[in-house]
Amino acid sequence: MDRHETDRYSDRYETDRYGTDWRGSAACRGMDPDLFFPIGNSTGFAVLVQIDEAKEVCRTCPVARQCLRWAMDAGAVDGIWGGTTEEERRAVRRRGALGRPGPETTAA
């Protein structure tokens, strides 16, 4: 799903279960959306820097969890959503569900 398809799909998810449009509270609101849609080799230096910059915005976002939930519900979505890349979201799906600890969060 590319950026324009995502825009059309997201219109169906304007409100959360409390009737609130979480997108209105997003830290990225009003920013250049291109920051969140890196183009190029995912291991290239410039792309990795761009991903880190986008994730930095997400780390300050009060609705990052809702954003991530939207991306997980939507399926294969390009870009950075809820502080995750598409590859990271695929890994979460393979583990089974959000909130289930992965290897990086398991206590030793």
Side-chain angles (χ1 to χ4, degrees), residues 64-81:
R65 185 81 176 166
Q66 293 94 321
C67 180
L68 176 56
R69 172 57 60 197
W70 178 88
M72 295 297 293
D73 290 347
V77 180
D78 293 334
I80 308 300
W81 293 87

Side-chain angles (χ1 to χ4, degrees), residues 4-24:
H4 300 291
E5 289 174 305
T6 301
D7 289 343
R8 286 192 298 273
Y9 184 83
S10 66
D11 288 342
R12 292 185 274 165
Y13 286 87
E14 289 184 14
T15 58
D16 64 14
R17 63 184 170 158
Y18 304 109
T20 304
D21 182 353
W22 59 266
R23 295 177 304 168

Side-chain angles (χ1 to χ4, degrees), residues 34-102:
D34 288 340
L35 174 63
F36 300 91
F37 295 90
I39 297 174
N41 181 346
S42 64
T43 60
F45 180 74
V47 170
L48 293 175
V49 168
Q50 185 176 351
I51 289 170
D52 284 345
E53 289 173 355
K55 286 182 172 187
E56 183 62 33
V57 173
C58 296
R59 280 190 280 279
T60 68
C61 186
V63 294
R65 185 81 176 166
Q66 293 94 321
C67 180
L68 176 56
R69 172 57 60 197
W70 178 88
M72 295 297 293
D73 290 347
V77 180
D78 293 334
I80 308 300
W81 293 87
T84 63
T85 64
E86 186 175 354
E87 290 174 1
E88 292 165 337
R89 292 189 298 276
R90 276 195 298 267
V92 170
R93 282 188 204 91
R94 283 192 298 271
R95 286 195 308 262
L98 286 175
R100 182 174 150 198

